[in-house]
Every structure is written in structure tokens, then in C-alpha cells.
């Protein structure tokens, strides 16, 4: 590409020259339990600590993980409080002597000493930063309880404002039996005021003792899926038209230790029988309500293909097994997991999936072995583990594509050829732009690439416009190189914006208990996924504007060198780099003739582009643009200003085989033209 002269930029599109087919699963989602992505996020359960096993969260020390403080024992009944009203008195405690089932070894014992008439005693749950109330909404409640012999009362369920003054919805269970039983009720709000400042209360006005084993409350879910997903978040995702879902991690797959990995067998079956686990990778409890079948249901709801990452015998704090008999256990676990996903009902795990409510097998084409195994620095360690997994998976499922997780690093696998490499990178805006053309020089033969985690990390909790523009520059690179990059998914996907909920800054979609929003980077993803053809088109650019960038000094060199700094390393002084201010990609719809031209203007001034098309007889004068722009790169969306930056669609008159169009400062534009 040539540097800019006074004539402005020229974009020469060769519409008859196709360089690649757009892959069928190009734009996807990456997901894991981080930033309360599911607990208090996508998974619509409103009760926090529903089986009383949650403990005070782990205090993470990011600088020194070994000094993280482990979670405290669950003796404090976190998120539950005692309700005593109008003279009612009682107490609550964890009772290990009255377990609901082996997965829920302690129940909540509620002792009601004094209650009668309108005197009430009960327990209240504060939810995930509140229980959201919306008008004219039906909530489904479920709980397990038993009473000591002689208890004559029932239980009132209610959603009550935190100050106790407003009851938004209520329901009655008339009698509690003296053996464990499941109780279900619906609660309907009327003309209630929308608010998150509420709690969920189970109470009674009779003295006695009740044990509660499990409590659940769901609002309406997306497509009414039982044990399903929050509607607004699913709609944001559906609007991205994702083609695949990479799950369940990320670090969440691995856990800090084997004990806290995503142990898929503990995440299936009735929710009251799932033990849950400490998500120590991110420092909080997971109910595992979001289990393997729920991830697959999520795929089904949004018509996405699952990309299943299996645990590969390596955890974050370095616990690992060598290839050999110990690894076999995990290989077997992975094969069974694949059978649970894909097996018909004549197989053991396919039959189990059918019993769990989904007789039809799921389509699965991609399995990833581990996550970021480049962190296993022992030479050859991942290679050896990958080899065993690869051979076992290919032997039983020859049609599955196996993805490695070490990327192109010194730990890349050598003994087998993976079907796909998984690249991960998180960068500053300038670094992202500096690398935006990297895939042009990636080798064209051998394994394809899934960019399984990537993001421009500028902005918190969600990325700002500067990040979105650098992301778009990078995505244009993916599109131009779709013969090599066959899949990509931004990470992390979600952040609950409440104080204390975020472990990782710069996440695509933000929310609290009531509302949600897409960041500018979300809109960039949406624009790319919604506006592309089935083929990549060749083009050249002349007179490109550039900006000088001085990369930050890096610490390299040996400790003890004469010019070493306090950390003992020699600072490197990189050369300044010329970064392009504009980026492009072009795709076309080979049947309909639409040409989708993406133009990214990173600069603070409007850029005029002379667009010349060849390989067509004509271009319709009427075209359109979809533009995301901001007045400053720091502009962003937030929970209080969710729609500050959103794409705007505009009609364009005067498109032709040779015309000029101006693109606004700090903008991402899709120009859609109809060619013949
Ligand atoms: O996306 C956040 C984390 O970044 C992922 O869990 C991990 O795979 C990567 O290091």
C-alpha cells in the first residue's frame, strides 16, 4: 500500500477477483464464567447461593496468584438473611444433619419461635445485586423443603422491596410436608415499578422448624427455555448472528487445580443435584446451573455450532499430568463428553443426554484440546498430551476437527498436525493496529486458524470507540484472509457492571440486574457479522494516510547487564512505527451482487476515498452506508448511557463504477453497493 499524497485515498476494487470464500462459521462467541457472565448474567436464575454452598469469594491476588486467599467455608449463609416481622422471632443456620441430597450436604434450618397472625418469620435472598422486578411479569419459583413433625403452616413466597414497603408479587404454598418435597409456584407482578432493589422472601406465620434444601426463581427466559437465559442478553447476542460458540473457557475450563476444573459430569442433570464448584480461576462460586446441556441449548437457541473445549490435564496453577495412565482418565472424560454431545440414544452418554431432556444429538465439528496450553512451559509437555487426545478423538470420531490450544509459540505441537490453530491476543489499540495486517503473511498451507480470544483492551468495564476502531481494523484483516482465518471470537463477552463483579476489564457487553448494553466494540462485531457476502474480493489502496507511533519500551536482556534497570533487565528501545490510519476489506454476495466495503477511519479527520470498481458492468446509484462513529476516541457506551454510540444507516445517492465518498473521523463504515 502506498503512502498518502494530496490526492486523497484511492480504493480500487476488482469485483471479479475472488480471493477466498467466506467460511460458514466465521463470526462466533467465546464464553466462560468470568465477570459474573452466567451467575448474575446470562443464566437467568435470580437466587444467589441457591443450595447454600456458596462461600465468601476467593480474594484474588493477580500479581501473585500463589498469595490469593482461598474462599472461606460456607458457614455464613451468604446472600441469605433472616426475616422477622411485626413481632415474629426465629433463627436460621446451616444444618449438615439434614441434607437434601449428597450434592447439597447442608440445608438451611429455619426455626420459628414466635409467629402468628401477621407476625412473619422467614428467609430473604438478595439475588445478584438485587432481584429485578418488572411490571406484568410472571416468575417461576421452586424450592425443596421439609418441616419438623407437627408444623401446621405453609410458606408465603414474595418479591419485596428492600425497605420492606412494597410487595411486587406473592404466592402461597399451603402446607409443608415432613419429608423432603419439591414445591413450585408462580408469582405475577401487576403494575409494579421496574426496579432491582428487591429481595425474594420465603416466610411463614406458624411456629416450628422448616428445612430448606434449595431455592430457585426464574423470570421469563429467552424462547421460554426452562433453566434458560436472560432475554435482553440473548437478544443482543442474536443480533450479532453468531455462527459458533467456543465454551466453556478460557481459564474457567482449567480451574486453578484439577478439583476446580469445569468437570462436565457435575454440571448435568436436575439443578438441585448439581453440587456447583468454586470458580477459583475467577474467584467466585458457580452453581453450575449453566452446565454442559445449557451451553448446548444456548447454541440451539441462537443457531450456533458448538466449539467444545475439553479439559486436557493441565490447570492454571501448573497442576498437570504427563501423558500416560494418569492422563487416560481425562482422555476418557473427553471422549464421554463428546458422546454426551453427539451420541445417539443407544450410547451410554447419548442415553443420559436423552434422560436429561434432549434426545436428539447435537451437531459437533470442532473440539479444542485444553486452553492456552502455551502456559505449560515444560518443553514437549503439551505436545505429548495433545498427541494422546488427538489420537483418541480421531480414532473414535474421525470427522471431528481437533483444535490445539498453544498457538504458534515455542510450545506449538509438532508430533501431530492439528486441524486448526487457536490464536489468542489482547492488545492496546496501537498494537492491534500494528498487527492488523499480520494474517496477510501467514502461511497459506497447513492448519487453519481460529482466533479463539482477542480484543483491543481500551476502556472499562467495556471498550470505547478507540478499541472498537482497532477491533474493526483487525476484523478487516480476518475478512481479507478468510482463506486462513476461518473462525474468530472476541473475549470476554460479558461483564456485570456492579461493583466487585468484574475480574477482567474491557468486555463486549455490560449489564446489571435490570438492563444491558452493547459497547462500541459490540456494534463493530455486529456490523461485520451482519454485513458480508459469501466471497472475499481483491482490492488495492493508494495514498493511505499514516501516523507515527512509538511503541513502549520493553524489558529485554539479561539481569546484571551494565545498563540493567531495577528489575534487572535491559530496556529495549523499539523503532517508531508508521501505522495506517485507514483499513479496508471487501466481500461480495456472489448470487445477489451486493458488494460490502468496510472502511475504517482511525484518524480525527474526515477522509475522502476515491472508489473505483472493475470487473462489473455497472453499480446502482442508490447504495447505503452503516456507520459507527464518535466525536472522540474515548467516547463510549455505559449502563447509564447505553446508546451513545450506535450504527446509523443512511442512503447514498450517486454510487457508480468511479465515485468519491467521504468517511467521518473515528468511524467504521460498511458501504453496501449493488453491482452487476
Ligand atoms: O478472556 C480472559 C482470559 O484470557 C481467558 O480466560 C484466558 O483464556 C485468557 O488468558
Amino acid at each position: 500500500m502506498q503512502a498518502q499524497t494530496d490526492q486523497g485515498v484511492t480504493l480500487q476494487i476488482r469485483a471479479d477477483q475472488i480471493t477466498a470464500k467466506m467460511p460458514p462459521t466465521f463470526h462466533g462467541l467465546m464464553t466462560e464464567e468470568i465477570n459474573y457472565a452466567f451467575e448474575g448474567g446470562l443464566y437467568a436464575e435470580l437466587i444467589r447461593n441457591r443450595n447454600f454452598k456458596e462461600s465468601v469469594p476467593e480474594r484474588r491476588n493477580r500479581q501473585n496468584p500463589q498469595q490469593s486467599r482461598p474462599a472461606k467455608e460456607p458457614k455464613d449463609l451468604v446472600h441469605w438473611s433472616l426475616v422477622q416481622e411485626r413481632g415474629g422471632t426465629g433463627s436460621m443456620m446451616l444444618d449438615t444433619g439434614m441434607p437434601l441430597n449428597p450434592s447439597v450436604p447442608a440445608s438451611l434450618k429455619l426455626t420459628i419461635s414466635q409467629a402468628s397472625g401477621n407476625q412473619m418469620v422467614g428467609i430473604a435472598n438478595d439475588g445478584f445485586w438485587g432481584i429485578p422486578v418488572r411490571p406484568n411479569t410472571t416468575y417461576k419459583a421452586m424450592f425443596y423443603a421439609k418441616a419438623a413433625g407437627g408444623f401446621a403452616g405453609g410458606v408465603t413466597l414474595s418479591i419485596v422491596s428492600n425497605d420492606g414497603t412494597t410487595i411486587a408479587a406473592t404466592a402461597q404454598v399451603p402446607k409443608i410436608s415432613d419429608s423432603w418435597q419439591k414445591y413450585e409456584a408462580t408469582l405475577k407482578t401487576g403494575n409494579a415499578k421496574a426496579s432491582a432493589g428487591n429481595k425474594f422472601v420465603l416466610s411463614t406465620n406458624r411456629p416450628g422448624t422448616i428445612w430448606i434444601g434449595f431455592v430457585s426463581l426464574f423470570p421469563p427466559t429467552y424462547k421460554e427455555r426452562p433453566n434458560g437465559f436472560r432475554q435482553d442478553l440473548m437478544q443482543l447476542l442474536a443480533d450479532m448472528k453468531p455462527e459458533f460458540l467456543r465454551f466453556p473457557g478460557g481459564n474457567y475450563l482449567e480451574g486453578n487445580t484439577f478439583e476446580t476444573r469445569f468437570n462436565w459430569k457435575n454440571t448435568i442433570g436436575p439443578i438441585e443435584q448439581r453440587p456447583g464448584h468454586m470458580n477459583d480461576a475467577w474467584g467466585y462460586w458457580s452453581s453450575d446451573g449453566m452446565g454442559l446441556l445449557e451451553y448446548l441449548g444456548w447454541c440451539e437457541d441462537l443457531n450456533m455450532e458448538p466449539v467444545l473445549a475439553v479439559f486436557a490435564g493441565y490447570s492454571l496453577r501448573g497442576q498437570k499430568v504427563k501423558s500416560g495412565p494418569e492422563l487416560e482418565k481425562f482422555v476418557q472424560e473427553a471422549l464421554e463428553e463428546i458422546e454426551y454431545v453427539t451420541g445417539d440414544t443407544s450410547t451410554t452418554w447419548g442415553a443420559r443426554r436423552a434422560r436429561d431432556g434432549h434426545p436428539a444429538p447435537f451437531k459437533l465439528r470442532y473440539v479444542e484440546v485444553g486452553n492456552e496450553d502455551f502456559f505449560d512451559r515444560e518443553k514437549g509437555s503439551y505436545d505429548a498430551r495433545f498427541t494422546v487426545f488427538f489420537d483418541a478423538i480421531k480414532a473414535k470420531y474421525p470427522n471431528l476437527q481437533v483444535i490445539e490450544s498453544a498457538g504458534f509459540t515455542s510450545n506449538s505441537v509438532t508430533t501431530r498436525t492439528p486441524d486448526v490453530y487457536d490464536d489468542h491476543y489482547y492488545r492496546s489499540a496501537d498494537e492491534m493496529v500494528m498487527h492488523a495486517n499480520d494474517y496477510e503473511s501467514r502461511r497459506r498451507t497447513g492448519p487453519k486458524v481460529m482466533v479463539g480470544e482477542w480484543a483491543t483492551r481500551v476502556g472499562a468495564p467495556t471498550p470505547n470507540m478507540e478499541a472498537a476502531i482497532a477491533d474493526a481494523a483487525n476484523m478487516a484483516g480476518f475478512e481479507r484472509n478468510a482463506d486462513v482465518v476461518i473462525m474468530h471470537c472476541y473475549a470476554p463477552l460479558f461483564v456485570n457492571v456492579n461493583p466487585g463483579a468484574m475480574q477482567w476489564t474491557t468486555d463486549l457487553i455490560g449489564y446489571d440486574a435490570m438492563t444491558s448494553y452493547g459497547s462500541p466494540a459490540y456494534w463493530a462485531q455486529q456490523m461485520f457479522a451482519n454485513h458480508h457476502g459469501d466471497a472475499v474480493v481483491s482490492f488495492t489502496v493508494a495514498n493511505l494516510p499514516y501516523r507515527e507511533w512509538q511503541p513502549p519500551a520493553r524489558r529485554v536482556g539479561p539481569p546484571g547487564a551494565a545498563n540493567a534497570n531495577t528489575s534487572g533487565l535491559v530496556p529495549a528501545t523499539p523503532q517508531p512505527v508508521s501505522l495506517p490510519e485507514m483499513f479496508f476489506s471487501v466481500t461480495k454476495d456472489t448470487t445477489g451482487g451486493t458488494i460490502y466495503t468496510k472502511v475504517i477511519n482511525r484518524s480525527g479527520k474526515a477522509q475522502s476515498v476515491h472508489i473505483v470498481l472493475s470487473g462489473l458492468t455497472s453499480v446502482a446509484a442508490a447504495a447505503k452506508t452503516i456507520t459507527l462513529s464518535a466525536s472522540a476516541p474515548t467516547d463510549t457506551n455505559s449502563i447509564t448511557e447505553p446508546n451513545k454510540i450506535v450504527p446509523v444507516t443512511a442512503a447514498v445517492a450517486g454510487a457508480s463504477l468511479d465515485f468519491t465518498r467521504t468517511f467521518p473521523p473515528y468511524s467504521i463504515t460498511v458501504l453496501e453497493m449493488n453491482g452487476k
Side-chain angles (χ1 to χ4, degrees), residues 30 32 34 246 249-252 254 282 371-372 375 424 426 453 491-492 504:
M30 187 274 162
E32 67 175 316
I34 182 175
R246 174 175 178 254
N251 291 353
Y252 182 63
E254 304 166 87
W282 299 113
N371 174 65
E372 295 194 340
F375 280 118
H424 289 189
Y426 296 96
E453 290 183 29
W504 183 281

PDB file of all heavy atoms in Angstrom, residues 30 32 34 246 249-252 254 282 371-372 375 424 426 453 491-492 504, ligand 1:
ATOM      1  N   MET A  30     -17.115 -16.303  22.214  1.00  0.00           N
ATOM      2  CA  MET A  30     -16.301 -17.058  23.169  1.00  0.00           C
ATOM      3  C   MET A  30     -16.887 -16.801  24.553  1.00  0.00           C
ATOM      4  O   MET A  30     -17.264 -15.678  24.872  1.00  0.00           O
ATOM      5  CB  MET A  30     -14.854 -16.571  23.132  1.00  0.00           C
ATOM      6  CG  MET A  30     -13.906 -17.402  23.972  1.00  0.00           C
ATOM      7  SD  MET A  30     -13.868 -16.868  25.681  1.00  0.00           S
ATOM      8  CE  MET A  30     -13.160 -18.271  26.484  1.00  0.00           C
ATOM      9  N   GLU A  32     -17.138 -17.937  28.934  1.00  0.00           N
ATOM     10  CA  GLU A  32     -16.752 -18.665  30.139  1.00  0.00           C
ATOM     11  C   GLU A  32     -17.374 -17.936  31.317  1.00  0.00           C
ATOM     12  O   GLU A  32     -17.865 -16.808  31.180  1.00  0.00           O
ATOM     13  CB  GLU A  32     -15.229 -18.726  30.296  1.00  0.00           C
ATOM     14  CG  GLU A  32     -14.573 -17.383  30.556  1.00  0.00           C
ATOM     15  CD  GLU A  32     -13.084 -17.491  30.819  1.00  0.00           C
ATOM     16  OE1 GLU A  32     -12.689 -18.381  31.571  1.00  0.00           O
ATOM     17  OE2 GLU A  32     -12.332 -16.663  30.265  1.00  0.00           O
ATOM     18  N   ILE A  34     -16.861 -15.701  33.819  1.00  0.00           N
ATOM     19  CA  ILE A  34     -15.950 -14.632  34.236  1.00  0.00           C
ATOM     20  C   ILE A  34     -16.797 -13.376  34.334  1.00  0.00           C
ATOM     21  O   ILE A  34     -17.782 -13.243  33.592  1.00  0.00           O
ATOM     22  CB  ILE A  34     -14.800 -14.462  33.198  1.00  0.00           C
ATOM     23  CG1 ILE A  34     -13.807 -13.379  33.618  1.00  0.00           C
ATOM     24  CG2 ILE A  34     -15.322 -14.155  31.813  1.00  0.00           C
ATOM     25  CD1 ILE A  34     -12.575 -13.258  32.691  1.00  0.00           C
ATOM     26  N   ARG A 246     -17.605 -20.892  21.358  1.00  0.00           N
ATOM     27  CA  ARG A 246     -16.459 -21.585  21.972  1.00  0.00           C
ATOM     28  C   ARG A 246     -16.689 -21.595  23.485  1.00  0.00           C
ATOM     29  O   ARG A 246     -16.798 -20.546  24.117  1.00  0.00           O
ATOM     30  CB  ARG A 246     -15.157 -20.856  21.618  1.00  0.00           C
ATOM     31  CG  ARG A 246     -13.944 -21.426  22.323  1.00  0.00           C
ATOM     32  CD  ARG A 246     -12.635 -20.776  21.868  1.00  0.00           C
ATOM     33  NE  ARG A 246     -11.532 -21.349  22.613  1.00  0.00           N
ATOM     34  CZ  ARG A 246     -10.875 -20.728  23.601  1.00  0.00           C
ATOM     35  NH1 ARG A 246     -11.177 -19.493  23.934  1.00  0.00           N
ATOM     36  NH2 ARG A 246      -9.907 -21.345  24.246  1.00  0.00           N
ATOM     37  N   GLY A 249     -14.466 -22.327  28.195  1.00  0.00           N
ATOM     38  CA  GLY A 249     -13.363 -21.451  28.594  1.00  0.00           C
ATOM     39  C   GLY A 249     -12.215 -21.668  27.660  1.00  0.00           C
ATOM     40  O   GLY A 249     -12.295 -22.543  26.788  1.00  0.00           O
ATOM     41  N   GLY A 250     -11.224 -20.814  27.837  1.00  0.00           N
ATOM     42  CA  GLY A 250     -10.934 -19.879  28.928  1.00  0.00           C
ATOM     43  C   GLY A 250     -10.411 -20.605  30.190  1.00  0.00           C
ATOM     44  O   GLY A 250     -10.381 -21.829  30.311  1.00  0.00           O
ATOM     45  N   ASN A 251      -9.923 -19.751  31.064  1.00  0.00           N
ATOM     46  CA  ASN A 251      -9.374 -20.250  32.326  1.00  0.00           C
ATOM     47  C   ASN A 251     -10.397 -21.071  33.100  1.00  0.00           C
ATOM     48  O   ASN A 251     -10.040 -21.946  33.892  1.00  0.00           O
ATOM     49  CB  ASN A 251      -8.923 -19.064  33.198  1.00  0.00           C
ATOM     50  CG  ASN A 251      -7.719 -18.361  32.617  1.00  0.00           C
ATOM     51  OD1 ASN A 251      -7.133 -18.818  31.650  1.00  0.00           O
ATOM     52  ND2 ASN A 251      -7.350 -17.233  33.208  1.00  0.00           N
ATOM     53  N   TYR A 252     -11.663 -20.781  32.897  1.00  0.00           N
ATOM     54  CA  TYR A 252     -12.732 -21.476  33.625  1.00  0.00           C
ATOM     55  C   TYR A 252     -12.729 -22.972  33.313  1.00  0.00           C
ATOM     56  O   TYR A 252     -13.081 -23.790  34.157  1.00  0.00           O
ATOM     57  CB  TYR A 252     -14.066 -20.840  33.235  1.00  0.00           C
ATOM     58  CG  TYR A 252     -15.276 -21.400  33.937  1.00  0.00           C
ATOM     59  CD1 TYR A 252     -15.420 -21.295  35.315  1.00  0.00           C
ATOM     60  CD2 TYR A 252     -16.298 -22.009  33.204  1.00  0.00           C
ATOM     61  CE1 TYR A 252     -16.549 -21.798  35.952  1.00  0.00           C
ATOM     62  CE2 TYR A 252     -17.421 -22.507  33.831  1.00  0.00           C
ATOM     63  CZ  TYR A 252     -17.540 -22.400  35.203  1.00  0.00           C
ATOM     64  OH  TYR A 252     -18.655 -22.893  35.830  1.00  0.00           O
ATOM     65  N   GLU A 254     -10.079 -24.718  32.861  1.00  0.00           N
ATOM     66  CA  GLU A 254      -8.931 -25.356  33.515  1.00  0.00           C
ATOM     67  C   GLU A 254      -9.018 -25.358  35.031  1.00  0.00           C
ATOM     68  O   GLU A 254      -8.556 -26.301  35.676  1.00  0.00           O
ATOM     69  CB  GLU A 254      -7.654 -24.616  33.114  1.00  0.00           C
ATOM     70  CG  GLU A 254      -7.443 -24.539  31.618  1.00  0.00           C
ATOM     71  CD  GLU A 254      -6.380 -23.528  31.265  1.00  0.00           C
ATOM     72  OE1 GLU A 254      -5.210 -23.910  31.260  1.00  0.00           O
ATOM     73  OE2 GLU A 254      -6.715 -22.350  31.029  1.00  0.00           O
ATOM     74  N   TRP A 282     -11.598 -17.392  38.580  1.00  0.00           N
ATOM     75  CA  TRP A 282     -12.078 -16.011  38.603  1.00  0.00           C
ATOM     76  C   TRP A 282     -12.613 -15.592  39.960  1.00  0.00           C
ATOM     77  O   TRP A 282     -13.156 -14.490  40.102  1.00  0.00           O
ATOM     78  CB  TRP A 282     -13.103 -15.778  37.480  1.00  0.00           C
ATOM     79  CG  TRP A 282     -12.457 -16.020  36.140  1.00  0.00           C
ATOM     80  CD1 TRP A 282     -12.740 -17.013  35.268  1.00  0.00           C
ATOM     81  CD2 TRP A 282     -11.365 -15.273  35.565  1.00  0.00           C
ATOM     82  NE1 TRP A 282     -11.906 -16.945  34.179  1.00  0.00           N
ATOM     83  CE2 TRP A 282     -11.047 -15.887  34.326  1.00  0.00           C
ATOM     84  CE3 TRP A 282     -10.625 -14.163  35.977  1.00  0.00           C
ATOM     85  CZ2 TRP A 282     -10.016 -15.405  33.499  1.00  0.00           C
ATOM     86  CZ3 TRP A 282      -9.600 -13.695  35.151  1.00  0.00           C
ATOM     87  CH2 TRP A 282      -9.314 -14.320  33.936  1.00  0.00           C
ATOM     88  N   ASN A 371      -6.896 -25.188  26.989  1.00  0.00           N
ATOM     89  CA  ASN A 371      -6.969 -23.749  26.773  1.00  0.00           C
ATOM     90  C   ASN A 371      -5.608 -23.145  27.054  1.00  0.00           C
ATOM     91  O   ASN A 371      -5.020 -23.395  28.113  1.00  0.00           O
ATOM     92  CB  ASN A 371      -7.995 -23.111  27.715  1.00  0.00           C
ATOM     93  CG  ASN A 371      -7.987 -21.592  27.615  1.00  0.00           C
ATOM     94  OD1 ASN A 371      -8.316 -21.033  26.568  1.00  0.00           O
ATOM     95  ND2 ASN A 371      -7.592 -20.918  28.687  1.00  0.00           N
ATOM     96  N   GLU A 372      -5.111 -22.384  26.132  1.00  0.00           N
ATOM     97  CA  GLU A 372      -3.853 -21.643  26.311  1.00  0.00           C
ATOM     98  C   GLU A 372      -2.753 -22.519  26.914  1.00  0.00           C
ATOM     99  O   GLU A 372      -2.119 -22.157  27.907  1.00  0.00           O
ATOM    100  CB  GLU A 372      -4.082 -20.385  27.150  1.00  0.00           C
ATOM    101  CG  GLU A 372      -4.978 -19.391  26.439  1.00  0.00           C
ATOM    102  CD  GLU A 372      -4.988 -17.993  27.037  1.00  0.00           C
ATOM    103  OE1 GLU A 372      -4.605 -17.840  28.206  1.00  0.00           O
ATOM    104  OE2 GLU A 372      -5.381 -17.056  26.309  1.00  0.00           O
ATOM    105  N   PHE A 375       0.956 -21.863  28.206  1.00  0.00           N
ATOM    106  CA  PHE A 375       1.394 -21.586  29.575  1.00  0.00           C
ATOM    107  C   PHE A 375       2.077 -22.800  30.220  1.00  0.00           C
ATOM    108  O   PHE A 375       2.734 -22.665  31.241  1.00  0.00           O
ATOM    109  CB  PHE A 375       0.223 -21.122  30.438  1.00  0.00           C
ATOM    110  CG  PHE A 375      -0.114 -19.671  30.224  1.00  0.00           C
ATOM    111  CD1 PHE A 375      -1.355 -19.286  29.730  1.00  0.00           C
ATOM    112  CD2 PHE A 375       0.818 -18.681  30.503  1.00  0.00           C
ATOM    113  CE1 PHE A 375      -1.654 -17.945  29.525  1.00  0.00           C
ATOM    114  CE2 PHE A 375       0.528 -17.337  30.307  1.00  0.00           C
ATOM    115  CZ  PHE A 375      -0.715 -16.966  29.816  1.00  0.00           C
ATOM    116  N   HIS A 424      -4.560 -16.462  20.352  1.00  0.00           N
ATOM    117  CA  HIS A 424      -5.159 -15.556  21.351  1.00  0.00           C
ATOM    118  C   HIS A 424      -4.314 -14.300  21.454  1.00  0.00           C
ATOM    119  O   HIS A 424      -3.082 -14.407  21.530  1.00  0.00           O
ATOM    120  CB  HIS A 424      -5.155 -16.204  22.749  1.00  0.00           C
ATOM    121  CG  HIS A 424      -6.128 -17.332  22.901  1.00  0.00           C
ATOM    122  ND1 HIS A 424      -6.407 -17.905  24.110  1.00  0.00           N
ATOM    123  CD2 HIS A 424      -6.897 -17.974  21.998  1.00  0.00           C
ATOM    124  CE1 HIS A 424      -7.301 -18.870  23.948  1.00  0.00           C
ATOM    125  NE2 HIS A 424      -7.611 -18.937  22.665  1.00  0.00           N
ATOM    126  N   TYR A 426      -4.570 -10.125  23.327  1.00  0.00           N
ATOM    127  CA  TYR A 426      -5.225  -8.945  23.897  1.00  0.00           C
ATOM    128  C   TYR A 426      -4.218  -7.815  23.747  1.00  0.00           C
ATOM    129  O   TYR A 426      -3.088  -7.939  24.220  1.00  0.00           O
ATOM    130  CB  TYR A 426      -5.554  -9.182  25.374  1.00  0.00           C
ATOM    131  CG  TYR A 426      -6.564 -10.299  25.574  1.00  0.00           C
ATOM    132  CD1 TYR A 426      -6.150 -11.605  25.862  1.00  0.00           C
ATOM    133  CD2 TYR A 426      -7.920 -10.049  25.462  1.00  0.00           C
ATOM    134  CE1 TYR A 426      -7.071 -12.622  26.036  1.00  0.00           C
ATOM    135  CE2 TYR A 426      -8.854 -11.059  25.631  1.00  0.00           C
ATOM    136  CZ  TYR A 426      -8.420 -12.351  25.913  1.00  0.00           C
ATOM    137  OH  TYR A 426      -9.331 -13.354  26.079  1.00  0.00           O
ATOM    138  N   GLU A 453      -9.606 -16.085  21.068  1.00  0.00           N
ATOM    139  CA  GLU A 453      -9.763 -14.999  22.041  1.00  0.00           C
ATOM    140  C   GLU A 453      -8.974 -13.829  21.514  1.00  0.00           C
ATOM    141  O   GLU A 453      -7.788 -13.980  21.189  1.00  0.00           O
ATOM    142  CB  GLU A 453      -9.208 -15.377  23.420  1.00  0.00           C
ATOM    143  CG  GLU A 453     -10.015 -16.421  24.142  1.00  0.00           C
ATOM    144  CD  GLU A 453      -9.467 -16.713  25.540  1.00  0.00           C
ATOM    145  OE1 GLU A 453      -8.858 -15.817  26.165  1.00  0.00           O
ATOM    146  OE2 GLU A 453      -9.653 -17.849  25.990  1.00  0.00           O
ATOM    147  N   ALA A 491     -13.196 -11.840  23.151  1.00  0.00           N
ATOM    148  CA  ALA A 491     -13.321 -12.243  24.563  1.00  0.00           C
ATOM    149  C   ALA A 491     -12.831 -11.114  25.477  1.00  0.00           C
ATOM    150  O   ALA A 491     -11.957 -10.349  25.065  1.00  0.00           O
ATOM    151  CB  ALA A 491     -12.502 -13.508  24.824  1.00  0.00           C
ATOM    152  N   PRO A 492     -13.325 -11.083  26.711  1.00  0.00           N
ATOM    153  CA  PRO A 492     -14.523 -11.760  27.187  1.00  0.00           C
ATOM    154  C   PRO A 492     -15.808 -11.118  26.636  1.00  0.00           C
ATOM    155  O   PRO A 492     -15.816  -9.962  26.231  1.00  0.00           O
ATOM    156  CB  PRO A 492     -14.473 -11.601  28.703  1.00  0.00           C
ATOM    157  CG  PRO A 492     -13.044 -11.313  29.035  1.00  0.00           C
ATOM    158  CD  PRO A 492     -12.544 -10.529  27.843  1.00  0.00           C
ATOM    159  N   TRP A 504     -12.053  -8.810  34.841  1.00  0.00           N
ATOM    160  CA  TRP A 504     -11.287  -8.553  33.611  1.00  0.00           C
ATOM    161  C   TRP A 504     -11.893  -7.324  32.936  1.00  0.00           C
ATOM    162  O   TRP A 504     -13.072  -7.336  32.579  1.00  0.00           O
ATOM    163  CB  TRP A 504     -11.398  -9.777  32.690  1.00  0.00           C
ATOM    164  CG  TRP A 504     -10.621  -9.703  31.427  1.00  0.00           C
ATOM    165  CD1 TRP A 504     -10.963  -9.017  30.281  1.00  0.00           C
ATOM    166  CD2 TRP A 504      -9.380 -10.344  31.138  1.00  0.00           C
ATOM    167  NE1 TRP A 504     -10.009  -9.200  29.327  1.00  0.00           N
ATOM    168  CE2 TRP A 504      -9.021 -10.013  29.819  1.00  0.00           C
ATOM    169  CE3 TRP A 504      -8.526 -11.172  31.870  1.00  0.00           C
ATOM    170  CZ2 TRP A 504      -7.851 -10.475  29.215  1.00  0.00           C
ATOM    171  CZ3 TRP A 504      -7.368 -11.628  31.262  1.00  0.00           C
ATOM    172  CH2 TRP A 504      -7.038 -11.276  29.945  1.00  0.00           C
TER     173      TRP A 504
HETATM  174  O1  LIG B   1     -10.585 -13.900  28.377  1.00  0.00           O
HETATM  175  C1  LIG B   1      -9.998 -13.870  29.635  1.00  0.00           C
HETATM  176  C2  LIG B   1      -8.896 -14.908  29.791  1.00  0.00           C
HETATM  177  O2  LIG B   1      -7.841 -14.616  28.934  1.00  0.00           O
HETATM  178  C3  LIG B   1      -9.257 -16.324  29.429  1.00  0.00           C
HETATM  179  O3  LIG B   1      -9.906 -16.975  30.454  1.00  0.00           O
HETATM  180  C4  LIG B   1      -7.950 -16.942  29.127  1.00  0.00           C
HETATM  181  O4  LIG B   1      -8.040 -17.987  28.196  1.00  0.00           O
HETATM  182  C5  LIG B   1      -7.121 -15.789  28.617  1.00  0.00           C
HETATM  183  O5  LIG B   1      -5.882 -15.739  29.208  1.00  0.00           O
END
